[in-house]
Amino acid sequence: MQIFIHNDALQALLDDLQARAILQQLQGAQGSLELNEEQIANALPELVELAWHLRQRNTSSAWALAQQVKDWLPALPHPQQDSLHARLLLVRGEAKWLLAELELAQQLAQRALLEFTRLQDHEGCADAHWLLAWIANDRGDYLQHDEEMVKVQAAAQLAQDPLRASLAQAGQAISEAFRDPQTAMRRWQAHLPPDEASVAPALMACWNDFQGRVASQTSDFAQAIACRLRTREAALQTGQIGRAIYAMVNVGSDFSCLNEHTTALEWAQKGLDLARATGWPSRIGGCLIQSAETLRLLGRLDAAQELLDEALTTMAPLRGSRTWAQALRSQGELALDKGDYEAALDWFGQLQERAQALAQNEFEIIALRGQANAWLRLNKAQPAISAALLSLAQARQHGDALKQIEALQVLAEIHARQPGLPNEAISAGSASLHYLRQALEIAGQIEGYTVPGPLLDAVAQAHAAAGDFESAFAVVRQANAAREKINSQQATNRAIAMQVRYETERAQAEGDYHRQLAQSEARRAQVLQQTSTTLAHLSAIGQEITAHLDTDAVYGALNRHLHGLLDVNYFAVYLADPDGLGLTSHVRIQDGQTLGSHHVLASHPHSYSLRALREQCEFVVNVAPEDEQKSLTPDAIPTLSMLFGPLIVDGRVLGAMTVQSRARHAYGEREQLIFRTLCAYGAIALDNARTYQQLQQAQQQLVAQEKLAELGALVAGVAHELNSPIGNSLMIASSLQEQTGEMRQAMQNQALHFNHLQQFLQDTREASRLILRGLENAADLVNSFKQVAVDRTSAQRRVFDLQQTCHEIVATMMSQIRPSGHSITLDIPEKIRMHSYPGPLGQVLTNLINNALTHGFENGMPGQMRLCASLPASGRVLLQFSDNGKGIPQENLNRIFDPFFTTRLGAGGSGLGLNICANIVTSLLKGSLKVRSTPGAGATFTLDLPLVVEDELLQSLAQEHGF
């Protein structure tokens, strides 16, 4: 389970239908689904993951979900149950930490750690140490925080989780940046990601937080603001709301350092608004403190006091935290500004105690310096000197030059007010000047530091008080130069602040715009999700409808999916009659039972289906209580909720569809949206089915016409071929009959001579031979025609000789080949016997010959065709038909087998010949048909056929019984 996920991933988790249904049931939502134990058990891991990722996004919902889900965990097997239970402990522990119940939070985190350790769940161990680290941070135990971060990294490495390990490194870097930013940057520079685009947003939030901390503490406030704005954006995207709040507070602090206090206050308020929504004391307190500090700098002391008082009240459970120490410091500084020096002493005293407990030297130095200022203004020099000297000593011990200067200034001011105070540190001269010179010396050692004008003014006054007016004048000139430099720097800072503010506002405006777009898209997606079965079901409907171009299949798909999406007891589809006289139901299903057909006249005054056609939009009918026992259609039981919609495609109204329920008010806006979508799908599907049926009918008619034309051409050709042998035989028989009559007359007249008889017998013998040969040719042609005709009409599978069959087919085509001057050569080996369909094979070869005669040969040039066969492999025969015609253009080669594709449209070409060939070869003959051609060099069609076509019924039976 990931430690942080993007908002998009969370939305995908929320969109899970089963988890959503269980969540609704847990929350007592109206209309929630009743789920069985198996469904609940399957969804529990998703619900635990949901609670985990809601822990900062919506802490109260995460807590409630964790509390409710834990009671269902016993439905799971123990290893999985224990792991999810430990994860829920972490969810509850983080909620308690955020709500400042640190003791209980630590107990829950430690219990989770023990459980994860027992299960050897290293990811869980890393997350438990992560929570313990932040609990220690809020207690002010920074050493423990760093130790826990090291443990996070170790556990993450065992889990082979680079994201968790990198997050632990970033956490250590941020902690070190509070103590020594420059050292932290040198140490962690190598770990910074080189390319933000390739790094997880959760990790970039942490590393930008670190870089912003370093930049702020090294006075690069523009860079700090840029980093912290990136932190805020990435943190909000990944559910790190606490980090996002602190980022906004720190942006305000950085703007304040640039003297842009108004902008600082705006950002502090933004952070406060977000923090108040969470109810987390630490974040609310941090925002209040920053807002109060900005108001103090603006001189609005009373308003600042109100915010600080609220901060202390809110953060009472976090007295051990660094944020509490910051609140004490702000209270002390505000008390000094208000002139309430007794209160300032008290606040700085509390800060000193808290600093010692936290081992935060920075706060202790500030507390001692603040006490010194308060004692000074109470005119109590000795306590003031003691506190200032202690502040100076600690600042020297820790090498804090700026705080040394502040302490020396306080000491100088004390001695300037009371010049006669004894001072063992100097033997003679002005004590005030002595401390101010030390301050100047330290200031001169700070690289890039500009000595402030007030310090130089104090030095000049000290020289003047000692009578050294020349030195005083020289220092005054330095003070003026320093003021000019500081004023210039302040102007630069203000310009930087204005530029940063402009860029920030522009980035924020762009971010808000994209966020609004994303939210708008999310809302639109949510509306679609609320259709109960989401787009997955609608997509399945569309896929099923397009897969079936049969009206019954369309009705079945609509009925099935409507029941899955809506509450449906009755479903019907009415289509407009072709004559326009009314509507006829094509499907009526009630509670799974099919009802009889129902017709509605177009003149019916109260038909809701006709109303849907007239208004062309869906509408809902909720039956009134007094009409509950009425039924609108015969054989149907009464329903209380009815939804009607038109079936429209491209402005054409096909009919109407209705779903009805016995539940009251079953169809709202969501259900209407679903129904509208399904009406659109249904209309398109029914229109496609109708168009497909019309196309099939047209294709069947064209195929029939093609066959009739082919048969007519065949009969005409055979008749032409029979005309020659029969005509010749008839002419010879007529001549023989005439000669026989002459011989009979010669015999009767006794004028018959021997040579006449001998010539008659010779002529009779020749005539008989010619008549017999002509009739034999005619008989062969008739037999071939009869076999071809029987084969083509019966399409029966039988054993035949390939050579004989091809000769018979070519013989029937000679009447078309010979007159045009073309020729055909056959090269078919003997004894190739096939167990196949000779009729369809003949139809294919006839179509190929006709195709060559029609498209291959032009301009009356005689052409040559060739039909040859070979046996390339056992059980297969290769038939090749080729011509030397004009060939086929390359752009047409991939289309010639498509139905209705022809280059002679309107000139006798239907575009079905080669399509029929391909269908016969692949479907009936179980072979393949290929073509190759070179323009100008003819074309070659290759048929790869099995010698034996298996009987499909016998083959399926053999497969069924394992033969």
Side-chain angles (χ1 to χ4, degrees), residues 251-266:
V251 167
S253 176
D254 293 329
F255 270 115
S256 185
C257 292
L258 290 171
N259 293 320
E260 187 63 30
H261 300 304
T262 302
T263 306
L265 196 60
E266 291 175 0

Side-chain angles (χ1 to χ4, degrees), residues 678-690:
L678 292 183
C679 282
Y681 275 133
I684 294 171
L686 292 173
D687 190 56
N688 288 343
R690 179 182 294 179

Side-chain angles (χ1 to χ4, degrees), residues 548-711:
H548 300 284
L549 293 173
D550 177 72
T551 55
D552 291 336
V554 173
Y555 296 140
L558 287 171
N559 180 52
R560 181 167 58 259
H561 289 286
L562 279 166
H563 278 81
L565 294 166
L566 304 174
D567 186 358
V568 177
N569 296 112
Y570 176 83
F571 161 66
V573 173
Y574 286 80
L575 297 182
D577 297 336
D579 54 13
L581 297 180
L583 299 176
T584 301
S585 67
H586 285 244
V587 60
R588 293 173 65 226
I589 301 175
Q590 178 178 271
D591 295 332
Q593 300 296 321
T594 300
L595 304 181
S597 178
H598 177 228
H599 184 263
V600 180
L601 292 174
S603 59
H604 195 291
H606 305 300
S607 171
Y608 288 125
S609 297
L610 289 172
R611 174 185 163 186
L613 265 64
R614 289 194 302 270
E615 298 181 359
Q616 296 193 7
C617 66
E618 79 281 348
F619 59 88
V620 178
V621 177
N622 291 310
V623 179
E626 60 271 17
D627 297 329
E628 286 186 7
Q629 300 304 318
K630 296 181 181 179
S631 176
L632 299 178
T633 55
D635 305 327
I637 61 174
T639 53
L640 302 181
S641 301
M642 293 175 279
L643 187 53
F644 292 85
L647 301 174
I648 303 175
V649 178
D650 293 334
R652 294 180 289 108
V653 180
L654 306 182
M657 188 166 72
T658 178
V659 292
Q660 302 177 20
S661 170
R662 288 193 288 271
R664 192 180 300 278
H665 300 289
Y667 306 125
E669 291 184 5
R670 178 179 64 87
E671 288 76 15
Q672 292 182 54
L673 175 63
I674 296 172
F675 185 69
R676 184 187 312 147
T677 304
L678 292 183
C679 282
Y681 275 133
I684 294 171
L686 292 173
D687 190 56
N688 288 343
R690 179 182 294 179
T691 303
Y692 181 69
Q693 290 174 356
Q694 294 172 351
L695 180 62
Q696 281 187 317
Q697 293 173 359
Q699 185 173 2
Q700 290 171 359
Q701 292 175 359
L702 288 173
V703 170
Q705 293 173 1
E706 183 85 11
K707 289 183 177 180
L708 288 175
E710 180 187 348
L711 182 60

Side-chain angles (χ1 to χ4, degrees), residues 714 717-718 784-785 788 792 807-815:
L714 180 64
V718 170
S784 297
F785 174 70
V788 170
R792 294 192 186 184
H807 275 285
E808 291 170 352
I809 293 168
V810 170
T812 62
M813 294 295 297
M814 289 305 297
S815 62

Side-chain angles (χ1 to χ4, degrees), residues 101-121:
E101 299 179 37
L102 302 185
E103 188 65 33
L104 184 54
Q106 183 168 5
Q107 292 175 10
L108 291 168
Q110 288 174 340
R111 285 173 56 191
L113 178 60
L114 289 174
E115 192 67 21
F116 282 130
T117 303
R118 181 180 66 81
L119 295 170
Q120 296 185 341
D121 185 339

Side-chain angles (χ1 to χ4, degrees), residues 64 89 164 265 394 408 501 570 599 765 806 876 880:
L89 287 174
R164 282 180 169 87
L265 196 60
Q394 290 205 21
L408 288 168
R501 179 173 182 173
Y570 176 83
H599 184 263
R765 187 184 312 109
C806 290
R876 303 199 70 82
Q880 284 189 332

